[in-house]
Amino acid sequence: MAESWVDSAEALGSDLHLELTGAGGRRAALMRALRDAIRSGRLAPGTRLPPYRSLAADLGVARNTVADAYAELVAEGWLTARQGSGTRVAPRADPPAARRTGRPAVRTDSARGVNRADGGRETAPRPVHSLLQGRPDAAAFPRTAWLASARRALTAAPSEAFGPGDPHGRPELRRALADYLSRARGVRTAPDRIVICSGFAHALRLLSGTRALRHKAAVEAYGLDFHRSLLAAAGIRTVPLPLDEDGARTEELAARRDLRGVRAVLLTPAHQFPTGGPLHPERRATAVDWARAGGGLIVEDDYDGEFRYDRRPVGAVQGLDPDRVLYVGSVSKSLSPALRLGWMVLPDALVDEVLAAKGEREGWASALDQLTLADFLESGGYDRHVRRMRRRYRRRRDQLVAALAERAPHIRVSGIAAGLHAVLALPPGTERSTVRAAASHGLALDGLAGYRHPDATGPAHDGLVVGYATPPDHAFAKALDALCRALPPGENPR
């Protein structure tokens, strides 16, 4: 029987799980099992079935039993058989019924371009275009260069790289990052102070288990609610710092009564997310002075640090004081969020704590991806890709600005000196209706209100967060057209 299974696997190359139950003999049971698998959708139309000999060996039945069952199901229309193509599940006029989820099934009314639930109520159409922030152009991933780095990395990898992971991260990647971050971002570090993670959210989870973040932390008044939720789940209260055109008002760290006891502040100094703009040099220095005076910590999210268009990239705050600034970066914007690769550059005093929080086994970042990224950095592939994408995203930004100047000159756009998104200021009270109008035009985008800290003081501003990196090149013009059609009209001149 063992030999039959080996032969079957070699001939088939894939497995098919069927349970033969019920009365009527093995052939009838096999036919029932195949009909049920097709009817339920588990075997989709076009799926190639195993050859007679392979399936017979797997199921422990005679070869003629399988052949007869296939032949009868072909005659009934469940299967098709063609010379050279094998036996396949036949196309069916009606797809299997959707699984019940407790929600009404949704179907598309192609004549009107809207979706309708079973009750006939119109809902917003599924997005055709996306201008959501935080997503690079997936089609621009450097597949050829990445594959070349992967081949080189696998060829040179030591055997121990294929064993259990090290929570510190691969030494090859930590060395490459120390060189790159020093050269490109002004970070002062050594490989031993770098811990590999899967991105900023993972870094927050790890830091929440250390003394770096305790009970209360200051954050920018606008930012990702997801990050605030992670901290809240760890029992850490977040206190918002107001923002203006110079970034977070870090002078309030030492002045405000409700910020007493805060020993950590989370900042996006290279390009404030989502409002845009770098943190002013004086406010950078003020934050560092605050951390030094009170034993505090700055957690620097180097969001979009590599994508500046109007001048040289702003260096990392970490370079001002490596013992008081914890630097976090990732490839989610520069390469792809699918890689799940990020890094923390830690003060010496926190390295052991973070490694203890992470645990003995690396469960997040693939060692093979780490090795590939190390080669990609050292070979210059990463620099070339970033420069190429910087040019592409700048063209996207310029297209967005030009379209708004032509079709919506009353809309002010900001945050365009860097990053992958811009903020469009809207007339008061129009944000929700504009987001709904965009959805009606098949466009997905975010309003600014969703990023505002619930405890933030001062006036809230209506606006849109427009991610111009997401659409592929061929769809970008149509996405901009949908955006311009959704924007509120300007005042008519008198």
Side-chain angles (χ1 to χ4, degrees):
M1 186 66 183
E3 292 180 357
S4 298
W5 171 255
V6 172
D7 290 342
S8 168
E10 291 175 351
L12 173 58
S14 60
D15 295 331
L16 176 60
H17 175 73
L18 294 172
E19 294 185 6
L20 307 188
T21 59
R26 306 291 274 174
R27 181 174 66 85
L30 175 57
M31 291 175 62
R32 276 197 303 272
L34 286 169
R35 288 194 197 99
D36 289 344
I38 296 170
R39 190 181 293 115
S40 68
R42 191 163 65 84
L43 290 179
T47 299
R48 184 170 182 169
L49 298 184
Y52 305 153
R53 179 173 63 87
S54 299
L55 187 58
D58 289 349
L59 297 177
V61 300
R63 181 178 174 182
N64 286 343
T65 300
V66 177
D68 290 345
Y70 278 10
E72 190 160 342
L73 291 175
V74 168
E76 293 177 0
W78 291 94
L79 304 176
T80 62
R82 187 174 301 173
Q83 186 69 30
S85 181
T87 304
R88 297 179 181 270
V89 176
R92 301 177 62 205
D94 297 319
R99 294 180 179 178
R100 296 183 180 180
T101 62
R103 294 173 295 187
V106 176
R107 60 183 184 273
T108 301
D109 183 342
S110 58
R112 298 191 60 186
V114 298
N115 291 336
R116 292 179 180 272
D118 285 342
R121 178 176 57 85
E122 292 188 9
T123 61
R126 290 185 177 181
V128 177
H129 305 290
S130 173
L131 290 175
L132 294 171
Q133 64 77 29
R135 305 181 184 186
D137 183 356
F141 184 81
R143 303 184 190 203
T144 301
W146 185 261
L147 179 59
S149 285
R151 286 172 174 166
R152 288 192 298 267
L154 286 173
T155 300
S159 297
E160 54 88 12
F162 301 94
D166 180 353
H168 214 141
R170 290 299 307 172
E172 299 90 341
L173 178 56
R174 291 187 283 113
R175 287 193 296 267
L177 282 170
D179 291 341
Y180 172 78
L181 295 174
S182 173
R183 169 174 55 84
R185 303 296 302 125
V187 170
R188 296 158 55 193
T189 190
D192 287 346
R193 294 175 62 174
I194 297 175
V195 173
I196 304 303
C197 60
S198 65
F200 190 75
H202 184 205
L204 281 185
R205 290 189 180 98
L206 293 173
L207 294 173
S208 297
T210 72
R211 58 189 171 89
L213 298 178
R214 291 175 296 183
H215 309 303
K216 188 161 64 170
V219 297
E220 294 163 329
Y222 281 82
L224 281 175
D225 178 64
F226 174 54
H227 292 163
R228 296 192 295 263
S229 298
L230 286 178
L231 295 176
I236 299 169
R237 177 190 167 208
T238 56
V239 183
L241 284 176
L243 299 165
D244 58 24
E245 63 275 8
D246 291 327
R249 295 181 57 183
T250 56
E251 68 274 11
E252 296 195 7
L253 287 168
R256 276 173 40 189
R257 180 175 299 178
D258 62 337
L259 288 170
R260 291 176 183 173
V262 166
R263 290 295 177 265
V265 57
L266 278 59
L267 298 174
T268 53
H271 184 232
Q272 201 287 320
F273 178 82
T275 62
L279 186 62
H280 191 278
E282 290 185 5
R283 293 186 177 176
R284 290 174 166 231
T286 298
V288 172
D289 290 343
W290 165 84
R292 288 173 176 170
L297 180 73
I298 300 169
V299 180
E300 178 178 11
D301 181 2
D302 196 27
Y303 180 82
D304 289 344
E306 291 149 321
F307 293 113
R308 288 205 72 81
Y309 311 119
D310 296 339
R311 63 176 184 270
R312 290 180 61 83
V314 177
V317 173
Q318 192 269 0
L320 298 178
D321 193 335
D323 292 326
R324 291 296 168 194
V325 183
L326 191 161
Y327 175 94
V328 186
S330 77
V331 298
S332 63
K333 308 298 184 296
S334 58
L335 282 171
S336 169
L339 289 177
R340 309 308 303 151
L341 279 175
W343 47 86
M344 292 180 283
V345 179
L346 299 165
D348 278 332
L350 280 176
V351 173
D352 290 340
E353 276 196 72
V354 170
L355 291 177
K358 201 175 185 189
E360 290 298 320
R361 295 293 181 96
E362 170 57 66
W364 296 85
S366 161
L368 301 184
D369 285 342
Q370 291 183 57
L371 292 169
T372 302
L373 179 57
D375 181 271
F376 201 53
L377 287 163
E378 292 176 339
S379 67
Y382 187 77
D383 286 274
R384 289 189 291 272
H385 174 72
V386 167
R387 287 195 297 270
R388 179 169 63 89
M389 297 312 298
R390 193 181 293 139
R391 291 192 296 269
R392 174 180 291 197
Y393 292 146
R394 179 168 184 165
R395 288 195 298 269
R396 295 276 189 94
R397 181 206 67 170
D398 292 346
Q399 284 180 261
L400 169 64
V401 172
L404 293 172
E406 178 183 355
R407 299 179 58 180
H410 58 289
I411 298 295
R412 182 174 63 87
V413 59
S414 62
I416 60 174
L420 306 182
H421 74 275
V423 174
L424 277 56
L426 297 176
T430 63
E431 180 179 311
R432 288 187 178 181
S433 61
T434 303
V435 172
R436 287 196 298 268
S440 71
H441 290 294
L443 175 64
L445 49 68
D446 290 328
L448 189 59
Y451 298 96
R452 181 178 166 89
H453 194 290
D455 297 332
T457 59
H461 302 287
D462 284 47
L464 300 176
V465 181
V466 178
Y468 49 77
T470 304
D473 284 339
H474 71 272
F476 189 55
K478 292 182 179 179
L480 291 184
D481 176 68
L483 171 66
C484 291
R485 285 188 283 124
L487 293 172
E491 295 182 3
N492 293 322
R494 294 185 178 180

